[in-house]
Amino acid sequence: MNQQRIWSWMVALLAGAMVLAACGGAPSAPAPTTAPPSPTAAPATAAPTVAAATAAPAPTAAPAARPGRGAGDTLRILYWQAPTILNNHLAVGTKDVEASRLVLEPLAAIDPEGNFVPLLAEEIPTVANGGVAPDFTSITWKLRKDIKWSDGSDFTAADVVFTYQYCADSRTACTSVAAFRGIKSVEAPDEYTVKITWEAPNSYPYRVFTSTRGAILQRAQFEQCVGEAASTAADCQAANLAPIGTGPYKVVEFKPGDVVIYEINERYRDPERPFFKRVELKGGGDAPSAARAVLQAGEVDWAWNLQVEAAVLQQLASQGGRGNLVTYNTANVERLLINFTNPDPALGEERGQLSQPHPFLTDLKVRQALALAIDRKAIAEQLYGPAGYPTCVFLWYPPFAQSVADIFKDCNQDIAAANRLLDEAGWQRGPDGIRVKDGKRLSLLFQTSVNTLRQKTQELIKANWAEIGVETELKSVDGSVFFGGDPGNPDNIGHFFADIQMYTTGATEPDPTSHLCGWISSAASQKENEWRGTNNMRWQNAEYDALCDQLRNELDPDRRVAIARQMDALIVSDVAMIPLVARPRVAGASKDLKGYNPSGWDAELWDIANWYK
Amino acid sequence: MGRYLLRRLLFAMPTLLGISVVIFAILALAPGDPLAQFAADPSVPPEVRDAIRENLGLNDPWYIRYVKWLAALLRGDWGYSFASRVPVLDLIAQRLPQTLQVVGVAYLVAILMGIPIGIISAVRPYSLFDNLATTFAFIGFSVPTFFTGLLLILIFSVRLNWLPFIYDSTLRVTDWETFTRQVRQMLMPVTVLALFQTGSLTRFVRAAMLENLPADYARTARAKGLSEQAVVLRHVFRNSMIPVVTLLALGVPTIFTGAIVTEQIFRINGIGELLIKSIQNSDTPVVMAITFIFAVLVVVFNLIADVLYGILDPRIRYD
């Protein structure tokens, strides 16, 4: 009996010890080896920040008296997708690109109006100043001579050349590699000059080393990281999480998938900036709660990409009183794409091939009727609110359009006209109200990704189409599958095994060439190219193809704008795609934050050095 | 006893192997792409994504990838995360403290509250206390954590502005001020989790106690003149512990995997958050590591529970 009691006590003690070990041990857990090897990673104490807070001016101070470097305390930023890596070239999402931008900079940024702003370069090369070769086969960047890396070493052309070499090795697996395509060589004629030569004339010579995917890596830090070592060598893994940069901030602590802590890079080129001593970029959660954190609770100063339903967002903004919505333009348009090939499963291997035209969507009148029946205004106002404008065109930003009034003129809903077109095309209403022609029902399969906003848009469009006697079957596919590139999965946008699909896309750079030329006939997505063609609606239009050739070869800026407008108009008049909603991006800012100027052509945080309170 | 343990451990090997095959196959066969976030981004075209998949070894058939993974694991290499390009174990090590703190404390609170409440409820069935406790337990385990979490945030963060709802994982407890901040940010997630676990534990303990209280041995003990306290705590409680121990022991491994929903709501960078994000992003090495370590823990704690039965009930023999 006695012995048993001792046993039971021992068990109790053991169990207690286990639970205690599990909990009590936690706070003293050793620092993970992935912590940035920065010498300044000492634990941050509250003392210095308190002093700074009292020194900081009242938020109502006149904007003219913008205080100097380090006068502000902590800037709190919330990204509902958490950054997982800070090496821009290995980024797996926008959140990584954004988080790395505080540290790693490109040669030039692009402001919201689409103008280039030199950062590490002395000026923007053009044909006029001799920076761009008259035949557009090369570009020469003159670098600033006063730039230092945050470790004190000089920034030179060797770093820029190295960045190219780093990504040119396919085993490095750079996700930014598309920007470097078509390059013949990147050379450094002298310490502060970089010359990029293309294999063929390039009408848009600014893609390399600019904007979101052009960050320059420090050669000294990444020299041993070219190829597979980029992911496998321990030093490179550490470097990917704490790159040395030229930007206004340096990383002092980074927990992948959670939070990045930055402090001022004392060697930043502008002695007056940045204002905030410290930046905390927290990640995780979801968009609605991020909106609540900035607009209602005031827990953060900036929240990224508030993709929240219009009603909820407006309610939070008006009731919260702690923050403002900040919208800024991109090239993105939510659109319907029309399948010009037959997705009928009965066709087997021939499904979606160009040899199998669509039974009725190849009829222009049917496509026109579908477009006319849609009430874009209702979709934009009821569902998107401040984050969407109804649009009749795809190029809705300067220089193609000057205001949101310009883009919604001649595409109001017109049910009568749509019905008339279908009558003319010979589609008669059947007993159930659905139109029939030659025994074929006018029935569509309409797919998009899983997203509340998209499902509601689908419902509205389905109701619009029901009014003109079109039957619609709705389908939604998980986003990672829908946008995924798996050649074996029939549910993605590349296969497009449906009649209509809906998603958002748009040019990622001010120049629309590569985006517009993605819809040419030869880019059709087919079995032969593993369903990777960019023209996934398989639209075939010789006139459009010719315009694309013209655009690629035209160097005069005004004529380029005219050609791009013509291409846009052709897509709309031939109803290959139906533009629905132009989508600016929406962020949230606390009421006292000033100086931000987010750009749709660059990272949202591109000018964070100018932010202040 | 020694031979029993050895036998059980040997049996565990094929079990774990089987578990890892099944998880790997499910992960590999499920659609998904580590670069899916770039999918709608024209600046990362499909052929670039494909080249990167090839580089990460994702284009091989799943059984080849599995053999590679297993071979690397036997050398002690858990692989690196596709999203961070960091060794998987580093990521887990970074997340574990937060999970153990929040989920572990909640578990401890649940045990410290659930067992006494269950005992008192059973000893005084249908009293006011029992009715209150049963109602509380019923609400506790039937209301989902995402609901209680949001409710607490709305009340204590948004309305009253008392507690933060963004967990600051960089906070280091160095003095009283930082300690109170740590307690404040843990308060809501711990409450949410503890409420849920206390609920189920209370019901378990109460049911087990009610079954044993009228048992013959309890009557014998009372007849021998033992005090009611001794009868309940030393005899009935100990016998009632057998089902409870199973519940508790199998609950310990779940501390490791964290609380997916609660961690997500309060933005705690715990293991659960890592797991769900990695599943969403098809970050196979991370998912494999977490699920495999979890499987090992489940097997081990099953064994511990079995050994504990023998200690609680001497009639159980392992030979």
Side-chain angles (χ1 to χ4, degrees):
Chain A
M1 192 71 188
N2 225 341
Q3 213 181 353
Q4 277 171 18
R5 192 167 302 155
I6 292 169
W7 258 111
S8 46
W9 272 110
M10 282 178 68
V11 170
L13 277 175
L14 189 73
M18 278 185 319
V19 178
L20 278 180
C23 315
S28 59
T33 50
T34 50
S38 161
T40 53
T45 52
T49 49
V50 171
T54 50
T60 47
R66 188 189 174 287
R69 172 179 287 186
D73 191 9
T74 300
L75 175 68
R76 289 191 173 78
I77 299 176
L78 181 61
Y79 270 52
W80 53 268
Q81 284 179 345
T84 52
I85 192 165
L86 294 181
N87 178 348
N88 176 296
H89 296 284
L90 302 183
V92 292
T94 314
K95 67 297 195 283
D96 304 322
V97 173
E98 294 277 350
S100 83
R101 187 52 181 274
L102 278 70
V103 176
L104 296 174
E105 294 179 304
L107 296 183
I110 310 179
D111 73 8
E113 286 75 43
N115 307 311
F116 283 87
V117 180
L119 299 178
L120 304 177
E122 283 187 336
E123 59 178 3
I124 301 299
T126 57
V127 179
N129 68 20
V132 176
D135 60 355
F136 281 72
T137 52
S138 72
I139 185 169
T140 307
W141 291 86
K142 291 272 176 216
L143 307 183
R144 279 176 69 153
K145 297 188 174 68
D146 57 343
I147 308 276
K148 293 229 183 288
W149 292 100
S150 60
D151 65 352
S153 60
D154 286 328
F155 164 80
T156 67
D159 295 309
V160 182
V161 174
F162 170 76
T163 302
Y164 167 69
Q165 289 162 347
Y166 178 79
C167 281
D169 187 326
S170 68
R171 289 166 309 156
T172 310
C174 281
T175 53
S176 56
V177 76
F180 299 104
R181 273 194 297 198
I183 290 180
K184 195 160 131 201
S185 67
V186 177
E187 300 153 319
D190 65 58
E191 262 206 311
Y192 293 101
T193 310
V194 177
K195 185 177 180 199
I196 304 161
T197 314
W198 281 277
E199 283 159 353
N202 184 348
S203 61
Y204 185 68
Y206 300 114
R207 190 172 299 135
V208 192
F209 302 132
T210 61
S211 183
T212 52
R213 304 313 301 275
I216 310 297
L217 298 175
Q218 191 196 35
R219 177 172 157 185
Q221 193 185 18
F222 285 93
E223 207 159 19
Q224 305 303 319
C225 299
V226 182
E228 265 160 39
S231 313
T232 52
D235 285 351
C236 302
Q237 290 172 339
N240 289 337
L241 300 187
I244 293 170
T246 55
Y249 290 96
K250 60 187 178 195
V251 182
V252 291
E253 187 173 0
F254 176 33
K255 297 188 172 179
D258 176 34
V259 66
V260 198
I261 307 284
Y262 309 87
E263 274 169 18
I264 294 179
N265 167 13
E266 296 300 340
R267 297 187 175 87
Y268 184 57
R269 55 188 174 274
D270 185 341
E272 290 302 307
R273 289 171 164 86
F275 170 79
F276 294 101
K277 216 177 236 119
R278 186 180 155 92
V279 178
E280 279 181 29
L281 195 153
K282 174 83 181 176
D286 54 277
S289 75
R292 182 165 289 128
V294 69
L295 302 173
Q296 212 173 26
E299 271 198 53
V300 294
D301 300 305
W302 183 266
W304 165 79
N305 198 6
L306 303 180
Q307 277 184 4
V308 183
E309 244 181 275
V312 179
L313 197 57
Q314 271 157 342
Q315 189 195 0
L316 284 175
S318 59
Q319 290 181 357
R322 307 290 275 272
N324 299 321
L325 289 177
V326 180
T327 54
Y328 60 97
N329 289 5
T330 64
N332 285 338
V333 174
E334 181 86 4
R335 60 193 67 203
L336 297 185
L337 294 95
I338 290 173
N339 197 344
F340 285 77
T341 59
N342 194 345
D344 186 353
L347 292 172
E349 287 288 286
E350 287 300 298
R351 203 178 176 192
Q353 293 294 83
L354 286 172
S355 55
Q356 305 292 331
H358 196 280
F360 52 84
L361 287 176
T362 41
D363 183 345
L364 177 63
K365 283 191 172 150
V366 175
R367 300 201 299 272
Q368 283 171 333
L370 292 177
L372 273 172
I374 298 172
D375 189 353
R376 296 170 217 214
K377 213 166 167 198
I379 295 171
E381 281 170 7
Q382 290 172 21
L383 303 179
Y384 286 82
Y389 315 115
T391 182
C392 309
V393 295
F394 292 99
L395 301 175
W396 63 282
Y397 45 93
F400 309 103
Q402 297 310 326
S403 77
V404 291
D406 280 1
I407 59 174
F408 186 67
K409 276 182 179 155
D410 50 1
C411 58
N412 272 308
Q413 188 190 30
D414 191 342
I415 297 285
N419 271 319
R420 209 157 45 237
L421 279 167
L422 289 177
D423 290 340
E424 282 168 27
W427 291 89
Q428 302 303 327
R429 288 208 187 236
D432 56 352
I434 303 301
R435 291 176 186 268
V436 183
K437 181 182 173 183
D438 308 331
K440 273 191 306 257
R441 276 164 72 81
L442 193 43
S443 173
L444 298 168
L445 176 62
F446 176 15
Q447 69 176 13
T448 189
S449 69
V450 176
N451 174 318
T452 333
L453 213 51
R454 293 216 163 101
Q455 267 69 73
K456 290 191 176 172
T457 311
Q458 275 186 316
E459 290 292 343
L460 285 182
I461 292 176
K462 180 180 178 169
N464 288 158
W465 285 346
E467 289 184 60
I468 57 168
V470 176
E471 180 180 58
T472 315
E473 184 191 338
L474 302 181
K475 175 177 170 184
S476 44
V477 185
D478 182 75
S480 66
V481 175
F482 188 61
F483 295 114
D486 185 355
N489 195 312
D491 285 329
N492 54 38
I493 55 173
H495 284 74
F496 194 2
F497 284 165
D499 300 300
I500 308 277
Q501 65 183 0
M502 176 171 72
Y503 60 90
T504 285
T505 184
T508 51
E509 53 203 16
D511 183 276
T513 314
S514 67
H515 176 69
L516 287 176
C517 287
W519 309 114
I520 56 171
S521 309
S522 59
S525 175
Q526 290 288 278
K527 194 172 67 195
E528 288 72 26
N529 56 28
E530 293 191 300
W531 307 102
R532 293 219 174 93
T534 45
N535 175 7
N536 51 33
M537 61 216 178
R538 300 145 202 151
W539 180 45
Q540 304 292 303
N541 189 308
E543 194 188 342
Y544 191 83
D545 299 348
L547 283 169
C548 165
D549 276 341
Q550 265 186 50
L551 184 63
R552 279 181 173 150
N553 296 316
E554 180 59 67
L555 303 176
D556 176 70
D558 291 336
R559 281 208 295 273
R560 290 179 60 79
V561 170
I563 298 170
R565 276 217 191 100
Q566 253 179 295
M567 293 174 82
D568 189 9
L570 187 56
I571 298 177
V572 172
S573 64
D574 201 42
V575 205
M577 290 188 278
I578 304 173
L580 297 175
V581 179
R583 298 181 66 179
R585 235 169 256 148
V586 181
S590 69
K591 288 230 151 116
D592 51 354
L593 187 67
K594 296 187 187 74
Y596 48 81
N597 188 22
S599 166
W601 305 115
D602 207 322
E604 192 170 272
L605 307 175
W606 73 284
D607 68 337
I608 195 158
N610 296 335
W611 294 20
Y612 66 102
K613 271 189 182 175
Chain B
M1 192 70 171
R3 279 186 56 197
Y4 170 77
L5 280 179
L6 193 68
R7 201 172 68 225
R8 285 286 301 265
L9 287 175
L10 282 177
F11 269 127
M13 298 291 170
T15 313
L16 289 174
L17 211 59
I19 292 173
S20 67
V21 174
V22 171
I23 301 173
F24 203 97
I26 292 174
L27 278 177
L29 298 177
D33 180 356
L35 296 168
Q37 286 186 50
F38 276 142
D41 184 344
S43 65
V44 187
E47 62 270 20
V48 168
R49 280 185 271 143
D50 195 51
I52 292 167
R53 285 177 65 90
E54 184 72 47
N55 246 302
L56 297 176
L58 289 172
N59 285 352
D60 297 334
W62 73 269
Y63 43 88
I64 292 180
R65 286 169 54 200
Y66 175 74
V67 171
K68 281 184 181 166
W69 175 82
L70 194 65
L73 184 64
L74 293 177
R75 291 195 309 270
D77 176 8
W78 290 78
Y80 62 86
S81 152
F82 299 150
S84 302
R85 308 216 188 178
V86 177
V88 167
L89 286 189
D90 287 1
L91 274 184
I92 294 180
Q94 207 166 52
R95 302 284 185 135
L96 205 53
Q98 283 77 250
T99 286
L100 292 186
Q101 256 173 36
V102 174
V103 187
V105 167
Y107 199 65
L108 199 64
V109 169
I111 293 174
L112 292 180
M113 287 175 59
I115 293 180
I117 294 178
I119 293 174
I120 300 173
S121 291
V123 174
R124 311 226 179 292
Y126 311 110
S127 64
L128 178 66
F129 180 87
D130 181 36
N131 279 329
L132 279 178
T134 314
T135 315
F136 163 81
F138 188 69
I139 293 173
F141 87 71
S142 36
V143 178
T145 49
F146 68 81
F147 181 78
T148 35
L150 288 180
L151 198 68
L152 290 186
I153 287 180
L154 275 178
I155 297 175
F156 292 104
S157 295
V158 175
R159 295 274 149 178
L160 299 172
N161 219 353
W162 287 353
L163 299 169
F165 70 97
I166 297 179
Y167 192 88
D168 177 6
S169 58
T170 59
L171 185 69
R172 286 181 184 81
V173 177
T174 51
D175 52 17
W176 180 251
E177 196 263 327
T178 46
F179 177 74
T180 48
R181 271 175 62 195
Q182 178 66 21
V183 170
R184 272 157 48 87
Q185 67 177 0
M186 280 173 62
L187 211 54
M188 284 197 291
V190 167
T191 310
V192 166
L193 288 172
L195 187 69
F196 182 74
Q197 284 163 346
T198 311
S200 52
L201 198 58
T202 306
R203 284 173 67 98
F204 239 90
V205 173
R206 181 179 181 272
M209 290 288 288
L210 277 180
E211 205 172 300
N212 280 303
L213 273 172
D216 289 345
Y217 70 84
R219 201 178 323 137
T220 312
R222 285 197 191 94
K224 277 164 67 183
L226 284 179
S227 70
E228 186 63 21
Q229 192 181 348
V231 173
V232 170
L233 292 184
R234 220 174 286 160
H235 296 269
V236 178
F237 175 58
R238 182 167 161 180
N239 279 292
S240 312
M241 276 303 274
I242 289 181
V244 178
V245 158
T246 317
L247 189 75
L248 289 182
L250 290 185
V252 173
T254 60
I255 295 180
F256 167 78
T257 51
I260 292 175
V261 176
T262 312
E263 287 180 4
Q264 190 90 353
I265 292 177
F266 293 99
R267 293 189 171 80
I268 300 166
N269 63 329
I271 305 269
E273 214 259 339
L274 179 66
L275 178 64
I276 192 75
K277 279 275 141 50
S278 305
I279 293 174
Q280 283 167 354
N281 298 331
S282 304
D283 203 340
T284 326
V286 181
V287 182
M288 279 312 291
I290 296 177
T291 45
F292 193 70
I293 294 175
F294 181 61
V296 171
L297 288 177
V298 170
V299 169
V300 168
F301 276 88
N302 253 313
L303 186 54
I304 291 179
D306 284 349
V307 172
L308 283 181
Y309 294 158
I311 291 160
L312 288 167
D313 185 348
R315 287 170 303 183
I316 299 172
R317 286 270 169 265
Y318 304 105
D319 289 317

